[in-house]
Amino acid sequence: MQDSRKFYIDGMTTRSSSLFFSILATAVLSAGAATAQEPTASDAVEDIVVTARRVEAPIWEVRRGDSVLILVGSIEGLPRDMEWRTDALVSAVERADRVLFPVQGQASLADLGRVIWRIRTLTRLPNERTSADYLSPDLEARVERITGEGPSRKSFLMLSADLMEHGGYAQRVRSVSEIVRRAARANKKPAEPVGVYRGDELIDNVLTTPPEAYLACMEAAATAAEAGPESGAQRAQDWRMRRIPAVLASPLEQASTACSLWTVMGEGQRLRDIWNAAADKSLSEPGVTVAIAPLRLLAEPNGVLDRLAADGLEPLGPDWRPPQP
C-alpha cells in the first residue's frame, strides 16, 4: 500500500513563520444567586471575537447573518527572536467552530523519492550554466556584491532564498498556520485546508519551471537584501502593529510575494480563487470560522477583503488600503 504524506504550503513559499493566541473566559453570575449561568451561543461568539481582537497581528471580522469569519493575515519569515502575544489566537481557535489553513499539498513516498532523485534539478541551474547567463549585467553585479561571490551555480529557488535571508527573512521558523493547526488538533477542532495541491502536480511544476520564470523574484530578492535586516525587522514590527500598507510596501514582503511558488509558476489567480471560494463557504455556514490566510492575498487591491467589501459586507479590522492622496 502506498504511503501518503501531507505537507503544508503557506502561500506556496518555501519558508515559514510563527503565531499563537489566547482567551479570557468570564463567568456570568445571576443577580441574587451564587451559581453561574451557561453563556448563550451569541455570548460565546462574542467572546471568541473579542479574544481574537487581542491578537498582535492583523485580523478582520466579517459577519453575514449567523456566520462569523475571522481572517488572520499571516506573513512568512518573521524574526526568530520576535516577542509577541500569542495566547489569544490559540484560545480563539479552541472555541471556534472550525479552522481553515492554507493550501495543503499531499505527496506519496513515490513523490518524495522523485524529489530526492531530482534534487540536483532543484538546487542547481541547468546545463552547467550560472546566474550570469540569465540575469542582466546590472542585476548580476548586485547579486555578486550581496553574496560576496562570483556567478552562482545555485538554482534561483535556492539563490533567492539566500538573498532574502540577507534582508532579514528567517528560515525554518514554525509558521502561523502550523502553530494554530497544533492547537486545533489538541482540542479536536474541525480543521481543514482551503484546498489540496497534489504532490505529483506540484513537483512537476517545480521541476519544469525554467530559470527565466524567477527573474522578477531575483530582482525583488536583491532589493530586499540591499534594504538589509533592519528593513526586515521593521516589516515584522509593522505587521504586529497592524500597519498593513507599510507591510505590503516593504521590500522583503514584495520579495516574499514575487518568490512565492504560486507567483513563479503563474498560478496566483488559482490561489485567489481558492481563498475567495473558502470565504464564501465560511460565510454560508452558521458559527465562527477562524482562517489563517496570506496577508497580501487578503489586503492586495481586489483581494479577498476588497471583494467582501464590494459584496456589501464590512470587514472590521485595521485599514488595509493605502491612504489616498
Side-chain angles (χ1 to χ4, degrees):
M1 181 175 65
Q2 190 180 51
D3 187 13
S4 180
R5 304 294 174 88
K6 295 180 180 179
F7 55 96
Y8 297 88
I9 313 169
D10 289 296
M12 287 282 288
T13 64
T14 56
R15 307 148 183 104
S16 51
S17 59
S18 338
L19 175 60
F20 264 168
F21 279 64
S22 127
I23 194 167
L24 183 60
T26 57
V28 181
L29 300 178
S30 60
T35 56
Q37 296 177 343
E38 288 294 324
T40 65
S42 176
D43 291 337
V45 168
E46 292 307 317
D47 280 347
I48 298 170
V49 170
V50 170
T51 297
R53 287 175 181 164
R54 296 204 299 268
V55 175
E56 287 186 332
I59 76 155
W60 291 267
E61 169 203 340
V62 187
R63 292 176 182 256
R64 177 184 282 156
D66 295 332
S67 304
V68 178
L69 173 61
I70 295 174
L71 292 164
V72 183
S74 65
I75 62 174
E76 302 298 314
L78 291 169
R80 292 184 182 87
D81 59 352
M82 176 173 156
E83 294 183 1
W84 51 331
R85 290 171 52 191
T86 60
D87 54 341
L89 182 54
V90 167
S91 291
V93 167
E94 290 171 353
R95 300 188 62 187
D97 294 291
R98 63 196 69 86
V99 182
L100 291 180
F101 300 115
V103 173
Q104 171 183 291
Q106 188 165 2
S108 67
L109 285 178
D111 294 326
L112 299 177
R114 187 173 167 214
V115 170
I116 295 171
W117 179 257
R118 298 289 301 277
I119 193 67
R120 186 175 179 82
T121 304
L122 296 176
T123 60
R124 289 286 183 265
L125 290 169
N127 304 320
E128 304 301 318
R129 303 183 78 179
T130 71
S131 55
D133 294 313
Y134 297 98
L135 305 181
S136 68
D138 175 66
L139 182 53
E140 174 64 26
R142 291 167 60 196
V143 171
E144 291 183 19
R145 281 197 300 270
I146 295 165
T147 62
E149 301 174 355
S152 177
R153 290 287 323 283
K154 288 183 178 180
S155 71
F156 288 155
L157 176 69
M158 306 296 292
L159 185 55
S160 64
D162 291 345
L163 293 172
M164 288 170 64
E165 283 197 83
H166 283 275
Y169 196 108
Q171 301 278 23
R172 293 174 295 279
V173 176
R174 284 194 304 165
S175 67
V176 173
S177 58
E178 180 185 351
I179 295 173
V180 173
R181 185 181 303 112
R182 289 187 178 186
R185 186 165 55 239
N187 290 276
K188 297 181 171 57
K189 288 292 179 179
E192 62 181 4
V194 294
V196 174
Y197 207 119
R198 288 196 349 258
D200 57 344
E201 181 185 1
L202 174 61
I203 293 166
D204 279 338
N205 284 341
V206 173
L207 291 176
T208 59
T209 298
E212 290 84 357
Y214 286 87
L215 295 182
C217 160
M218 290 295 296
E219 174 74 35
T223 300
E226 289 165 342
E230 298 81 10
S231 176
Q234 184 61 54
R235 163 187 177 253
Q237 181 65 10
D238 287 336
W239 179 76
R240 281 185 59 188
M241 301 302 294
R242 307 176 181 89
R243 295 189 283 256
I244 312 306
V247 175
L248 300 190
S250 71
L252 187 56
E253 182 62 20
Q254 294 187 7
S256 180
T257 300
C259 296
S260 161
L261 293 180
W262 289 100
T263 302
V264 171
M265 296 187 304
E267 298 203 21
Q269 188 56 51
R270 177 181 177 183
L271 182 62
R272 295 182 186 94
D273 291 343
I274 288 172
W275 271 104
N276 282 327
D280 290 343
K281 183 175 184 293
S282 297
L283 289 169
S284 70
E285 300 174 339
V288 178
T289 302
V290 174
I292 313 301
L295 176 61
R296 180 170 292 275
L297 186 143
L298 296 178
E300 67 185 354
N302 300 317
V304 174
L305 292 171
D306 277 355
R307 191 186 67 86
L308 292 172
D311 287 346
L313 302 175
E314 186 180 0
L316 299 178
D319 190 357
W320 67 92
R321 301 181 181 98
Q324 296 301 312

